[in-house]
Amino acid sequence: SQTIHQWPATLVQPVGSPLSLECTVEGTSNPNLYWYRQAAGRGLQLLFYSVGIGQISSEVPQNLSASRPQDRQFILSSKKLLLSDSGFYLCAWSAYWGAHGYTFGSGTRLTVV
Amino acid sequence: GQQVMQIPQYQHVQEGEDFTTYCNSSTTLSNIQWYKQRPGGHPVFLIQLVKSGEVKKQKRLTFQFGEAKKNSSLHITATQTTDVGTYFCAGPNNNAGNMLTFGGGTRLMVKP
């Protein structure tokens, strides 16, 4: 069966510090991968998506970046965090045809102080 | 661009009352998906509807896809405290079919 792992679960980082969040998927190959951010009590904002290794599309211009160094690994990064980067970050995967919806990771709650 | 809107944004109900959330898309959708996010948790896929006018049931949850495939609803009969959470609808992005456009969600609170 397919599983998705996301870590860390919580993170408190000072303004201006770097960020690296990792997401890995097991049990499937060539998944579509996504990074979402959710502000407290709000909806899901798509940040990046990837359909293959090295292929990244950005939906929202910001100081975040994403990389996909391996087929089942998706990394969200920042060189310098801003207070506005605080939020709940969710990684998700879907099969190419998307028939079974998105499977989300358990999320990383990031607080920038 | 494509928009998916949900109403209401919040709903408080007494345990045992029914609940309905509505989802409307600015464009025709090939399918509609529904997700549930428990407080502090991550969204979990509930169901996908594909056919015009389709109705699917999962125990006390009834999902409908409109005839024009631009709207959908989720109805919960006799809510329980375990139904608490935010319900999101989502439809494929017209420009990139593997991407979903999510509605803003309806947060359901149930008073015991």
Side-chain angles (χ1 to χ4, degrees):
Chain A
S1 63
Q2 301 90 0
T3 55
I4 180 168
H5 303 279
Q6 190 180 341
W7 67 94
T10 59
L11 195 58
V12 180
Q13 292 284 99
V15 168
S17 64
L19 173 74
S20 181
L21 302 180
E22 189 164 343
C23 171
T24 59
V25 180
E26 295 178 359
T28 187
S29 58
N30 197 29
N32 291 330
L33 296 171
Y34 311 86
W35 278 111
Y36 282 86
R37 178 169 61 197
Q38 186 176 35
R42 305 295 293 276
L44 298 163
Q45 179 188 32
L46 179 64
L47 301 175
F48 301 95
Y49 70 95
S50 172
V51 298
I53 296 174
Q55 300 179 60
I56 309 293
S57 295
S58 173
E59 286 298 296
V60 182
Q62 58 217 328
N63 69 322
L64 299 172
S65 63
S67 62
R68 185 170 177 173
Q70 299 179 45
D71 181 45
R72 290 169 287 180
Q73 184 185 28
F74 206 22
I75 298 172
L76 181 69
S77 304
S78 173
K79 292 182 179 178
K80 287 186 178 182
L81 285 169
L82 307 172
L83 286 174
S84 57
D85 291 323
S86 294
F88 191 39
Y89 288 82
L90 291 154
C91 179
W93 79 272
S94 71
Y96 178 77
W97 54 92
H100 300 289
Y102 284 14
T103 300
F104 284 86
S106 53
T108 296
R109 204 163 300 277
L110 171 67
T111 304
V112 182
V113 296
Chain B
Q2 180 187 39
Q3 289 186 322
V4 177
M5 292 155 287
Q6 273 184 266
I7 56 170
Q9 192 173 357
Y10 305 95
Q11 183 85 57
H12 288 85
V13 299
Q14 197 71 42
E15 188 172 21
E17 292 181 338
D18 292 357
F19 159 77
T20 304
T21 173
Y22 299 91
C23 177
N24 290 285
S25 170
S26 58
T27 59
T28 302
L29 300 171
S30 59
N31 68 79
I32 190 87
Q33 300 178 17
W34 285 92
Y35 294 77
K36 177 184 178 181
Q37 183 177 24
R38 294 181 185 273
H42 58 277
V44 174
F45 174 72
L46 293 177
I47 206 163
Q48 177 176 277
L49 304 173
V50 178
K51 299 177 184 175
S52 168
E54 188 170 14
V55 178
K56 286 189 176 180
K57 291 192 174 185
Q58 289 180 350
K59 298 183 180 178
R60 294 177 293 103
L61 277 61
T62 301
F63 303 84
Q64 284 189 303
F65 200 11
E67 294 289 341
K69 301 183 78 172
K70 294 182 71 174
N71 62 287
S72 181
S73 65
L74 159 59
H75 179 82
I76 302 179
T77 303
T79 54
Q80 299 175 359
T81 54
T82 53
D83 296 324
V84 164
T86 301
Y87 293 85
F88 293 96
C89 64
N93 185 296
N94 285 347
N95 296 323
N98 296 319
M99 285 172 49
L100 292 177
T101 299
F102 281 84
T106 295
R107 185 177 171 190
L108 172 65
M109 289 153 279
V110 180
K111 302 175 200 173

